[in-house]
Amino acid sequence: MENSTVDLAIVGAGPAGLSAAIEARRWGLSVVLLDEQAAAGGQIYRGVDAANERRRSVLGEDYAAGAALTKAFAECGAQHIASASVWNVGRDMKINYLVQGRSASLEARHILLASGAMERPFPLPGWTLPGVMGAGAAQILYKSTGALPTEPVVLAGCGPLLYLLAYQYLQAGATIKAIINTTQRSDYIRAARHLTGALRGWRDLRKGMRMLEQLRRNQVPVYAGARDLSIMGAERAESIAFNHKGKQHRIDSALVLLHQGVVPNTQFSWSLRARHAWSDTQLCWIPETDEYGQIDDSGIYIAGDSRGIVGAKASATQGRIAAVAVAATLHRIEAGDRAAREKALHADLRSQLHIRPFLEALYRPLDAHRIPQQDSVVVCRCEEVTAGQIRKYTEVGCQGPNQTKAFGRCGMGPCQGRLCGLTVTELIAQAREVSPAEVGYYNIRPPIKPITIGELAA
Amino acid sequence: MASKEEVIVVGGGVVGAAIAFGAARSGAPVILLDQGDIAHRASRGNFGLVWMQSKGDGFPRYARWCREAVDYWPGLARELLDLTGIDVDLRQNGGFWIGFSESEMRAREVMLEQLRNIGPGIPYEMLDHAELRARLPAIGPTVAGGSFCPLDGHVNPLKLLHALHAGLKVLGVEVFSSVDVVQVNHHQDRGGFQVGSKDGRSWNAPRVVLAAGLGNKDLAAQVGLHAPVAPNRGQVMITERLKPFLPYPTNKARQTAEGTVQLGYSIEDVGMDDGTTVSAIEWIAKRAVATFPILSDARLVRAWGALRVMTPDGSPIYQESSLCPGAFVATSHSGVSLAGTHAYVVGPWMAGLAAEPEDMAEFAGDRYLDPGRSFTNAH
Amino acid sequence: MRTSRNSECHPLFAADSSPQSCTVTLRFEDELISVPAGTSVAAALLLKGAGNFRTTPVKSSPRAPYCMMGVCFECLVEIDGKPSRQACLTTVSDGMVVRRQQGASELSTLIEGDQNGK
């Protein structure tokens, strides 16, 4: 495959990538799909093919449904390059990747980037201590190995995944010590404005309510409207403190699972110098694309959560929409078929997006949990740069994230801004009293995933 | 000397900031106009070498200029540390050029021998493979040898920029950020200049120094100066932090104070494109592994391109306008190596507080207009 | 070399089902550990109570996995002599040797008399 040009190369084996592959194959396109994991499914359907009966039952029917998707993908005739670390995607339509320590490249007529989402960083005091992980990380651990917490576990933050994980843990027989929920009353009020949309997405709503009911029945202690979270410990997490209804609380725990939503993985789109807009409702950068997901006239498309958080079902639909657009460009689909297919897909997408404004309003992360006010909080984990240090940079003339690199190596470590970028943008915006849009983001350059000098030289 | 006239410095990169710093510490009232975060910032692409060996081949005045520059560096580093608390990580214990063939080595020796007696003298040693390996144990088997100059070294260019700006603040220099200067008007009658930005702001002063990098071409022309600078892309890459193994800089690989290894570099004529190419970084990686095989397992975290501000002969332009006295242009792609000279010599001169250095006419931009001369910027 | 930052502790996680027939044995520091085939190195270390996976180059702070999906780069360990491997993206294999990464990456040390590189 390396020397011939494929019609469509897809990066990412989550719902968007898999659905795009299936749709593209339907129209006769040659497809190569590259993904970092050994098995297809992305993060949401992680390990679905290997999961036993028990695990599928615990994780629920939405998860189990992923198996149908991975099966359809396996049978659709696309080439699947697994365990591939894509380190560069160029506007010259070349993709560079690493498989088993060997660097390879391929060329495609069209590229679809479907690298999904990651958990939003949660810069609290003590968040870098061993034993502090994302709730999504713990869920991945369960999906891939069936591992459960050995002690009653504390979950903290906001967002549907927090409750989903708690629910799944209960199904699996684990004990929840407490849920420290940072959703405030004002969030409910704000969310109520989007109730119509929420009701149109009533199936999602009903699911959520069922989970909450289960938690109530199991008498899981929930501290609603919590604020001022902070994690304590010397060499590892020992306890989490917070303010609840004006009272200070502290709960001992060696494992603290944090979550405040997910944000798009934008390393590829930034490295391609796509324009990005700052979304005040999603509080993240959204790459600018046309309605099919194409960046400029580049032939490179983005679908799924990496284009803006839309959830699994909408991600799948976006993947299909992009595939149809590519098929049309390559004259593999007749106008009539195209119109019919797009009409159906756009209708699906609309209904799948009904719940979004409601969720975004309801689960908006607290300002103080996105922009740490305590100076000692580590913002850049790799280089251990604190919020206080970054604020000082702005006092001596640092205007934006790229200049922080000159002042103190912020964003220069292995993660290349993934865990600090959003925080740095918002911190500087707050300090300068301008919008995040005006502050901008790090210049992202290849390699998007680390590659050794030897692998590059070979 | 003349009374202390206000100086506007256009450009806050490593050249402009050093000149502004030098002018300010000599007592001139200085205003610095800087583009800020969106600037091309050639300083970001600087390799960080404080380098003098082999510079000025065929241009003795420039060779002498570079030679003197390395002597200013320890004082500059110390002064910036004392003034701002920022350590620019200067290590000036010598540097190596690495050669991969006998013909390269011979050509190098011929060139260095010609430069040996410039100014206070440019010492060097040619080293064969075994001699080089005795100094740099990590050197690879295909390396033919190298040259060593005890006066060379390296520094952190981003920290230098940061320290200069912090120094400007301490010295009371007013720095205006996010300023895109588009116009320099000379008041013919009463002298002095009005400097105007894209967003309509303006500043007035008797003296103006144009240190705006690639922007100098247009601005210089507005005050009767010729500064034919053009972009030249250099791609560079950097590894994760590594435990120390390389105590000296080499011309294409150096280990920084933080432990990261910086590897370079390409020399490309691609207009304003500061993007990275897979072919260039593969070439840099191959060369890196040939030079230091130990780097094979080191992980690369970033590759980037930056636009050097290149003159036709690769040497600086320093000139006062005869048409518009009080207007100066200053440009060099070796803004780090020459930082000390820019601060201690160029700044005071352009501020009118020190005499013009000897033979500065050799650095006039007019030299490029001479039909009898031809130029190459190979370096 | 052991410091107090590197002591193992009670595992934070345990597998929910009995071990499969197919297990893999690897070495972590001085211990041999066995986990089901297909487990990531990060999961294996968490299941066996590794405590911290590394200490940072800047301040020698103890770190352990945060994201489990390859974006946080906290799970960096030395695997079979190669530094800075993301444990959450590496599957265990028989005989694998895993060590904590203390500070900055350590490249293979030069072997006296052997200048042939790799």
Side-chain angles (χ1 to χ4, degrees):
Chain A
M1 225 9 167
E2 277 184 358
N3 293 320
S4 58
T5 304
V6 69
D7 288 330
L8 177 62
I10 299 171
V11 179
L18 296 177
S19 303
I22 294 162
E23 184 76 26
R25 285 297 301 146
R26 176 179 167 180
W27 302 107
L29 272 58
S30 57
V31 177
V32 173
L33 187 146
L34 304 105
D35 185 72
E36 201 164 45
Q37 297 297 327
Q43 301 309 330
I44 193 150
Y45 304 131
R46 182 92 176 245
V48 69
D49 290 333
N52 57 27
E53 193 60 48
R54 167 107 182 103
R55 212 174 291 168
R56 288 192 193 195
S57 157
V58 164
L59 290 166
E61 53 184 29
D62 281 347
Y63 173 79
L69 190 58
T70 54
K71 181 161 188 283
F73 170 72
E75 292 167 356
C76 78
Q79 188 195 357
H80 180 198
I81 306 181
S83 304
S85 189
V86 175
W87 60 267
N88 187 46
V89 174
R91 291 224 183 201
D92 57 2
M93 307 309 279
K94 292 209 178 83
I95 294 177
N96 300 90
Y97 60 100
L98 259 183
V99 171
Q100 290 179 334
R102 305 205 50 195
S103 190
S105 70
L106 62 83
E107 190 163 349
R109 293 191 178 87
H110 292 272
I111 295 173
L112 173 65
L113 300 171
S115 40
M118 53 174 250
E119 289 191 89
R120 178 187 291 279
F122 207 145
L124 297 177
W127 74 305
T128 57
L129 288 167
V132 180
M133 296 171 66
Q139 193 188 55
I140 286 170
L141 194 53
Y142 181 75
K143 283 174 180 172
S144 55
T145 65
L148 295 167
T150 50
E151 301 293 315
V153 67
V154 174
L155 290 87
C158 62
L161 200 151
L162 203 67
Y163 285 101
L164 177 61
L165 182 65
Y167 177 77
Q168 289 166 336
Y169 271 169
L170 288 177
Q171 302 294 103
T175 313
I176 317 281
K177 194 166 191 178
I179 296 179
I180 302 165
N181 176 7
T182 60
T183 301
Q184 307 293 315
R185 232 188 92 183
S186 51
D187 296 320
Y188 289 104
I189 295 168
R190 199 187 322 115
R193 273 184 232 134
H194 303 282
L195 208 50
T196 327
L199 293 173
R200 286 167 94 181
W202 64 273
R203 283 189 188 82
D204 297 318
L205 209 56
R206 183 179 62 176
K207 235 184 293 171
M209 312 231 63
R210 281 207 184 120
M211 289 192 302
L212 292 172
E213 182 53 37
Q214 184 75 316
L215 295 173
R216 232 193 317 275
R217 260 194 244 126
N218 277 268
Q219 297 182 302
V220 173
V222 176
Y223 296 86
R227 288 183 168 283
D228 305 330
L229 272 54
S230 114
I231 300 165
M232 278 91 67
E235 306 296 308
R236 50 185 66 96
E238 289 166 20
S239 60
I240 176 165
F242 56 97
N243 188 295
H244 178 245
K245 292 189 171 152
K247 242 182 80 181
Q248 272 297 110
H249 293 259
R250 206 179 90 174
I251 299 178
D252 288 339
S253 185
L255 178 63
V256 177
L257 301 179
L258 299 176
H259 187 78
Q260 51 177 3
V262 293
V263 292
N265 270 325
T266 50
Q267 297 295 94
F268 283 123
S269 51
W270 281 113
S271 78
L272 286 163
R273 304 197 175 185
R275 280 180 305 277
H276 290 68
W278 176 262
S279 162
D280 267 319
T281 49
Q282 287 194 34
L283 297 167
C284 64
W285 296 97
I286 309 290
E288 285 181 15
T289 66
D290 66 15
E291 69 207 279
Y292 305 106
Q294 188 175 188
I295 300 170
D296 307 321
D297 285 317
S298 61
I300 302 173
Y301 294 72
I302 311 178
D305 278 349
S306 59
R307 197 173 118 204
I309 303 304
V310 292
K313 293 208 174 76
S315 292
T317 309
Q318 283 183 349
R320 291 183 180 276
I321 290 171
V324 169
V326 169
T329 312
L330 294 173
H331 307 293
R332 309 290 186 87
I333 181 172
E334 285 173 28
D337 288 333
R338 180 187 185 178
R341 194 80 187 103
E342 281 183 351
K343 187 166 178 213
L345 289 170
H346 281 287
D348 283 345
L349 188 60
R350 266 193 307 276
S351 76
Q352 287 155 353
L353 294 176
H354 281 143
I355 192 87
R356 301 306 316 172
F358 175 75
L359 292 177
E360 285 163 18
L362 182 61
Y363 294 125
R364 188 182 175 83
L366 289 182
D367 286 357
H369 288 161
R370 298 187 334 268
I371 310 167
Q373 297 305 299
Q374 307 94 320
D375 283 346
S376 61
V377 174
V378 171
V379 171
C380 169
R381 294 176 64 119
C382 296
E383 293 289 325
E384 304 191 76
V385 183
T386 64
Q389 284 171 303
I390 296 168
R391 268 188 282 268
K392 276 213 172 64
Y393 301 161
T394 62
E395 284 166 25
V396 290
C398 176
Q399 304 262 293
N402 294 298
Q403 290 179 318
T404 65
K405 296 181 184 181
F407 286 76
R409 288 194 61 82
C410 193
M412 290 170 99
C415 95
Q416 289 291 295
R418 285 170 173 88
L419 281 251
C420 66
L422 291 176
T423 313
V424 171
T425 289
E426 287 210 86
L427 224 161
I428 294 176
Q430 188 184 71
R432 284 183 55 201
E433 293 175 1
V434 297
S435 68
E438 198 178 317
V439 166
Y441 192 72
Y442 292 125
N443 288 335
I444 302 298
R445 303 277 207 158
I448 300 306
K449 279 285 175 145
I451 176 170
T452 68
I453 307 290
E455 286 160 348
L456 193 53
Chain B
M1 262 350 292
S3 68
K4 290 171 185 180
E5 299 184 310
E6 195 166 52
V7 185
I8 295 173
V9 176
V10 179
V14 104
V15 173
I19 290 172
F21 179 74
R25 74 187 280 288
S26 299
V30 178
I31 291 174
L32 181 72
L33 307 177
D34 184 29
Q35 268 181 325
D37 207 45
I38 50 116
H40 277 287
R41 268 298 187 265
S43 310
R44 265 192 223 132
N46 194 294
F47 202 67
L49 297 178
V50 171
W51 211 249
M52 178 261 333
Q53 62 169 295
S54 82
K55 286 221 179 116
D57 182 28
F59 192 159
R61 180 65 186 94
Y62 180 45
R64 188 152 51 92
W65 187 249
C66 294
R67 174 63 187 86
E68 287 160 358
V70 296
D71 287 345
Y72 282 121
W73 246 108
L76 177 64
R78 212 166 20 242
E79 182 171 349
L80 288 173
L81 179 62
D82 290 342
L83 197 63
T84 70
I86 296 164
D87 183 352
V88 298
D89 297 328
L90 174 70
R91 305 277 186 275
Q92 208 174 355
N93 304 312
F96 293 84
W97 167 89
I98 309 293
F100 283 89
S101 71
E102 288 308 314
S103 60
E104 254 194 316
M105 293 281 290
R106 277 194 296 273
R108 182 89 179 164
E109 183 162 17
V110 165
M111 176 180 51
L112 291 177
E113 189 55 35
Q114 280 174 356
L115 294 168
R116 184 189 269 287
N117 296 312
I118 297 283
I122 300 179
Y124 75 93
E125 287 175 73
M126 293 305 295
L127 306 163
D128 65 21
H129 178 90
E131 290 165 336
L132 184 61
R133 216 176 92 196
R135 315 271 191 103
L136 298 177
I139 212 82
T142 62
V143 172
S147 68
F148 175 75
C149 174
L151 303 171
D152 287 332
H154 59 156
V155 77
N156 184 319
L158 294 180
K159 274 182 150 182
L160 171 63
L161 187 61
H162 179 203
L164 287 169
H165 276 261
L168 290 175
K169 196 164 187 228
V170 173
L171 294 176
V173 171
E174 240 190 313
V175 177
F176 294 86
S177 269
S178 305
V179 177
D180 204 353
V181 170
V182 291
Q183 209 159 53
V184 185
N185 289 325
H186 180 225
H187 304 303
Q188 300 278 357
D189 44 349
R190 59 183 196 272
F193 300 88
Q194 181 182 60
V195 178
S197 70
K198 197 167 182 181
D199 58 359
R201 290 181 283 173
S202 69
W203 296 262
N204 286 281
R207 288 173 179 262
V208 64
V209 174
L210 302 174
L214 292 170
N216 265 359
K217 189 170 176 188
D218 283 344
L219 296 178
Q222 294 183 33
V223 290
L225 285 167
H226 182 59
V229 289
N232 178 283
R233 181 169 73 189
Q235 293 186 52
V236 175
M237 45 202 228
I238 197 138
T239 68
E240 57 183 336
R241 287 180 184 247
L242 304 168
K243 290 207 159 62
F245 77 95
L246 184 59
Y248 300 94
T250 73
N251 58 317
K252 287 203 161 75
R254 70 182 188 97
Q255 186 168 26
T256 69
E258 298 84 37
T260 59
V261 172
Q262 189 168 15
L263 300 165
Y265 46 77
S266 66
I267 300 167
E268 305 166 85
D269 225 317
V270 289
M272 296 297 279
D273 181 359
D274 65 351
T276 24
T277 62
V278 172
S279 56
I281 67 180
E282 279 175 349
W283 181 87
I284 295 170
K286 281 191 169 68
R287 201 199 144 97
V289 165
T291 312
F292 298 114
I294 196 178
L295 285 173
S296 214
D297 280 343
R299 302 221 300 187
L300 182 67
V301 294
R302 197 167 188 265
W304 69 98
L307 301 174
R308 297 183 188 91
V309 182
M310 196 53 72
T311 58
D313 60 1
S315 303
I317 303 172
Y318 308 109
Q319 188 176 9
E320 177 172 12
S321 171
S322 45
L323 221 62
C324 311
F328 296 80
V329 69
T331 185
S332 163
H333 76 274
S334 294
V336 168
S337 291
L338 299 174
T341 308
H342 287 160
Y344 298 132
V345 175
V346 177
W349 159 45
M350 292 186 177
L353 298 173
E356 180 176 308
E358 249 180 50
D359 302 323
M360 286 310 275
E362 298 215 37
F363 291 121
D366 303 347
R367 69 187 188 265
Y368 303 116
L369 297 170
D370 183 344
R373 295 175 68 175
S374 67
F375 304 96
T376 166
N377 61 30
H379 70 297
Chain C
M1 187 168 69
R2 291 287 188 93
T3 70
S4 65
R5 287 197 155 158
N6 291 334
S7 51
E8 276 83 19
C9 57
H10 179 59
L12 298 173
F13 293 92
D16 67 344
S17 44
S18 51
Q20 299 161 251
S21 51
C22 202
T23 59
V24 163
T25 302
L26 58 147
R27 181 174 289 278
F28 174 60
E29 296 284 320
D30 296 338
E31 246 189 273
L32 283 176
I33 60 178
S34 289
V35 291
T39 308
S40 71
V41 174
L45 265 44
L46 284 170
L47 288 166
K48 299 302 176 179
N52 68 307
F53 279 40
R54 70 184 183 106
T55 56
T56 58
V58 181
K59 294 183 186 160
S60 299
S61 307
R63 297 289 175 89
Y66 182 79
C67 77
M68 290 301 287
M69 58 174 281
V71 296
C72 76
F73 292 81
E74 294 288 9
C75 63
L76 302 178
V77 289
E78 184 195 280
I79 298 181
D80 292 337
K82 299 206 188 288
S84 288
R85 299 278 107 188
Q86 287 176 283
C88 72
L89 293 177
T90 313
T91 311
V92 297
S93 61
D94 259 323
M96 186 182 258
V97 176
V98 179
R99 297 178 55 78
R100 286 192 181 89
Q101 179 137 308
Q102 309 288 18
S105 285
E106 182 124 42
L107 299 175
S108 305
T109 47
L110 299 165
I111 303 159
E112 274 156 33
D114 172 19
Q115 287 300 303
N116 293 325
K118 286 180 194 33

